[in-house]
Amino acid sequence: MEQWFQILLTIFSSVLASSGLWAYITKRLEKKDVKTEMLIGLGHDRIMYLGMVYIERGYITSDEYENLYEYLYKPYEKMGGNGSAKRVMNEVNKLPIHKSTYEMEELNHEHE
């Protein structure tokens, strides 16, 4: 029994110490980093684009704000994004918030 334990320990130690295992782990971590960078980049692009559309228009609806802030900006910020997207978000926060078209239609139907 002790002999099998020593053999297994030797095999396990060899695999753990092998450069192939560490190369594999390093490659997996790099892939994850690239995916994170891509997600941050896509989030940044979408925040910039939508934010500029709303700023140029001069207002944002409540649904648009929720989509931009809750589902794009907050995760973007948690992943480490900042900079120009933060500046655009600060400008968006200054915009007047209008009721969404959906909310206005709902109110119109209630009054009929």
Side-chain angles (χ1 to χ4, degrees):
M1 178 76 169
E2 189 177 313
Q3 184 181 6
W4 280 107
F5 179 75
Q6 287 179 342
I7 292 170
L8 288 175
L9 185 61
T10 303
I11 291 170
F12 180 73
S13 298
S14 298
V15 169
L16 195 60
S18 75
S19 60
L21 176 66
W22 291 113
Y24 173 76
I25 291 171
T26 303
K27 191 71 172 167
R28 293 287 297 177
L29 291 173
E30 283 176 12
K31 255 188 178 175
K32 201 175 221 179
D33 289 342
V34 170
K35 287 178 184 176
T36 300
E37 286 179 31
M38 177 59 82
L39 282 173
I40 290 172
L42 290 170
H44 181 269
D45 178 68
R46 196 70 183 147
I47 292 164
M48 294 297 292
Y49 175 78
L50 290 173
M52 295 308 294
V53 166
Y54 304 143
I55 291 166
E56 287 178 21
R57 186 172 68 188
Y59 70 92
I60 188 169
T61 68
S62 52
D63 287 341
E64 290 167 341
Y65 185 82
E66 179 183 12
N67 177 60
L68 182 63
Y69 184 74
E70 294 292 329
Y71 301 110
L72 286 172
Y73 185 73
K74 280 173 63 174
Y76 166 82
E77 192 175 39
K78 284 180 186 174
M79 289 184 85
N82 55 27
S84 53
K86 186 174 187 174
R87 288 191 297 277
V88 166
M89 199 64 214
N90 286 337
E91 291 302 311
V92 167
N93 287 332
K94 296 175 187 175
L95 294 173
I97 297 179
H98 290 194
K99 287 190 180 202
S100 299
T101 308
Y102 174 77
E103 290 173 10
M104 292 171 66
E105 287 175 6
E106 199 172 85
L107 285 173
N108 289 338
H109 288 294
E110 287 177 6
H111 289 88
E112 291 176 353

